[in-house]
Amino acid sequence: MKELTPKSEDFSKWYVEVVQKAELADYTPMKGMMVIRPHGYAVWENVRNALDRRIKAAGHVNAYFPLFIPESFLQKEAEHVQGFSPEVAWVTVGGKEELEERLAVRPTSEAIIGHMYAKWIKSWRDLPVLINQWANIVRWEKVTRPFLRTTEFLWQEGHTCHETAEECEAETLRILDLYRDVCEAELAVPVLTGRKSLSEKFAGASMTYAVEALMSDGKALQMATSHNLGQHFSKAFDIRFEDRNQTLQYVWQTSWGMTTRTIGALIMVHGDDSGLRFPPRVAPVQVVVVPISIGNWKETVLPAARAAAESLRAAGLRVDLDAREEATPGWKFSEHEMRGVPLRLEIGPRDVKAGQAVLVRRDTGAKETARLADLGARVPALLDEIQAGLMAQAKAFLEANIRDAADYAEFKAILETKRGFVRAAWCGGEACEARIKAETMATIRVIPTEEAASKTDRPCVSCGGAGQALAYFARAY
RNA sequence: CGGGACGUGGCGCAGCCUGGUAGCGCACAUGCUUGGGGUGCAUGGGGUCGGCGGUUCGAAUCCGCCCGUCCCGACCA
């Protein structure tokens, strides 16, 4: 549990080390499969709860569909099967018997859900269907990294059906905004939102919208996606309803997901050379109480530390009392910094005498003393400040790393020297997009959805043709 | 999947070139000591060197194949 490689020296190494040293995850004997350890899983639980609250508040209900999908189902939507087939894991044997039809371990659940929806939906009165599921997913990725890309990962996937195209699009965008809100309000990760180019969209969607964040090494990370599936799947799976005019119509569908990858974003956006810095809203432990062990501390300091921890717990905070005898205070400080605890509360003999405690912020390192009687008010306020402080810091970084490129030379120079997002005009042509990707490794992360934000009179940064939209380009994870 | 690096107690490494059955630091256990930023000392337990095969009297060391990890690309949430 020593010496973390500095972020600036080797970002990838720093990332892998901090994941392990903070005990968020660990590797297993199977390639690309990791254990999410209790400290990491607690983060996921907090993210999940925040998301789940919002999904339900927006009118959705949770359900659970099977892990396996018959091969023939996956094949019903041509683009879908083509997009996912390279990374599907198959079950071919059950017990000792060879299966007649092999089963895919779900890489996403549109196919099985589509099949069930066809059975359940008959009338416009059945619509909208607003179902979400929390599930595990398997995609046989060639290159894996803890949280960012693993063979199996956890996520939620929403699958909705609507009467009209307009309603469907509205749902897609409502969810996009929901994701933005979770990222910014809970994870303290500022994001760009917008649509994807056609080449980057979900296999089988009409349009994909995404929430993109900027990691502190200047690479972008997709935090969530919201797809307008149009009628692609309803036609493939025959999901029809009789509308208000007594004609049969195919439903309009959306699907959307957010994954355990968000934990990777939390690490890469907020972490520093001492380890993790979790935003209080999703931190597994919000306050750690460290008694300063000197002399007869167990009789004097420890009871005061217990009382402080208890009172904060009673106020609804997630509090850990680190009363271990085998570790020194300094050791504990470092360890809890590594683990990202937002606020440390130190109580020593001097404090007990003075009826106070020392509060140390993880985000800034700032120390202050507070009267024990005031902790109930001061600690929650400080946690709010830390949450806001992390957001402000990340936002300043994002804004400082969005740069406009007038021409291709400038575009390339920015990506070479500074990275971050480059905002540039694009003609809408796939050839230009592909060329930019090949030459700079940058892809279109999002094209802002609002007319005003994407409108441009500048020529395409690649070909010089008429610019159709302003797009945000970046190298991405 | 292409290029590169690596695989030796839990972790990080040395030893390999010039074969002779393992060593260091941290961690761990015990005791004392210390304690407001990773305390110090002593004692002790733990590996047969990623796997398989070959060469050899003898392999961590040489050769071949395989597996895995990390980095850089192509693919992806």
Side-chain angles (χ1 to χ4, degrees), chain A residues 12-239:
Chain A
S12 294
K13 199 169 173 193
W14 169 86
Y15 178 82
V16 173
E17 281 180 10
V18 80
V19 163
Q20 297 214 63
K21 287 177 200 277
E23 298 183 334
L24 295 179
D26 203 0
Y27 293 99
T28 69
M30 290 91 67
K31 173 183 161 62
M33 308 196 193
M34 65 170 183
V35 176
I36 302 177
R37 301 182 65 177
H39 194 56
Y41 198 77
V43 179
W44 177 237
E45 287 179 315
N46 292 332
V47 173
R48 192 186 60 192
N49 291 342
L51 246 177
D52 199 59
R53 265 201 311 279
R54 285 171 172 79
I55 290 170
K56 284 175 179 155
H60 306 79
V61 290
N62 286 334
Y64 188 79
F65 293 84
L67 170 64
F68 301 126
I69 302 176
E71 180 167 23
S72 55
F73 285 25
L74 271 191
Q75 287 174 339
K76 286 187 181 179
E77 213 288 330
E79 198 179 319
H80 190 61
V81 65
Q82 207 200 339
F84 280 100
S85 65
E87 49 188 11
V88 171
W90 295 99
V91 176
T92 58
V93 177
K96 291 188 171 173
E97 289 187 30
E98 188 93 11
L99 302 183
E100 277 190 30
E101 176 179 10
R102 41 180 204 161
L103 301 172
V105 181
R106 63 182 163 214
T108 179
S109 301
E110 276 76 7
I112 185 71
I113 291 179
H115 176 84
M116 298 313 295
Y117 280 179
K119 195 170 161 185
W120 297 339
I121 296 168
K122 298 293 170 210
S123 152
W124 64 271
R125 295 178 200 278
D126 297 326
L127 298 173
V129 170
L130 305 172
I131 290 180
N132 176 65
Q133 91 163 335
W134 289 93
N136 56 339
I137 288 296
V138 169
R139 294 183 189 174
W140 219 261
E141 300 287 354
K142 295 190 165 103
V143 177
T144 58
R145 301 182 95 185
F147 293 114
L148 299 179
R149 184 169 302 109
T150 46
T151 303
E152 180 184 2
F153 59 89
L154 305 182
W155 78 350
Q156 62 61 223
E157 50 179 324
H159 296 267
T160 69
C161 300
H162 306 270
E163 279 184 74
T164 65
E166 295 69 35
E167 219 183 284
C168 182
E169 177 72 0
E171 166 77 358
T172 311
L173 294 175
R174 176 162 56 243
I175 296 299
L176 184 72
D177 195 57
L178 186 156
Y179 285 146
R180 183 197 53 73
D181 185 48
V182 168
C183 290
E184 298 189 340
E186 305 284 342
L187 310 184
V189 171
V191 293
L192 298 179
T193 62
R195 64 182 170 89
K196 288 285 184 183
S197 67
L198 292 183
S199 71
E200 296 274 331
K201 77 173 173 58
F202 175 76
S206 296
M207 182 65 80
T208 288
Y209 297 89
V211 173
E212 292 273 337
L214 189 63
M215 305 300 102
S216 53
D217 65 342
K219 286 172 81 173
L221 183 74
Q222 182 171 297
M223 301 287 286
T225 45
S226 182
H227 314 292
N228 184 331
L229 301 178
Q231 295 178 310
H232 295 180
F233 286 88
S234 61
K235 284 180 177 166
F237 288 88
D238 202 30
I239 314 172

Side-chain angles (χ1 to χ4, degrees), chain A residues 282-304:
Chain A
V282 293
V285 175
Q286 294 170 309
V287 185
V288 61
V289 177
V290 180
I292 303 303
S293 39
I294 301 174
N296 64 338
W297 68 282
K298 275 191 263 186
E299 285 74 49
T300 55
V301 173
L302 188 55

Side-chain angles (χ1 to χ4, degrees), chain A residues 22-24 36-47 263 266 276-288 313 316-320 336 338-343 383:
Chain A
E23 298 183 334
L24 295 179
I36 302 177
R37 301 182 65 177
H39 194 56
Y41 198 77
V43 179
W44 177 237
E45 287 179 315
N46 292 332
V47 173
I263 297 170
L266 282 171
L276 299 169
R277 295 193 306 169
F278 280 132
R281 295 240 169 83
V282 293
V285 175
Q286 294 170 309
V287 185
V288 61
R313 278 194 196 112
L317 299 177
R318 297 187 287 273
V319 182
D320 183 20
H336 295 294
M338 179 69 75
R339 292 166 71 88
V341 182
L343 192 62
L383 289 174

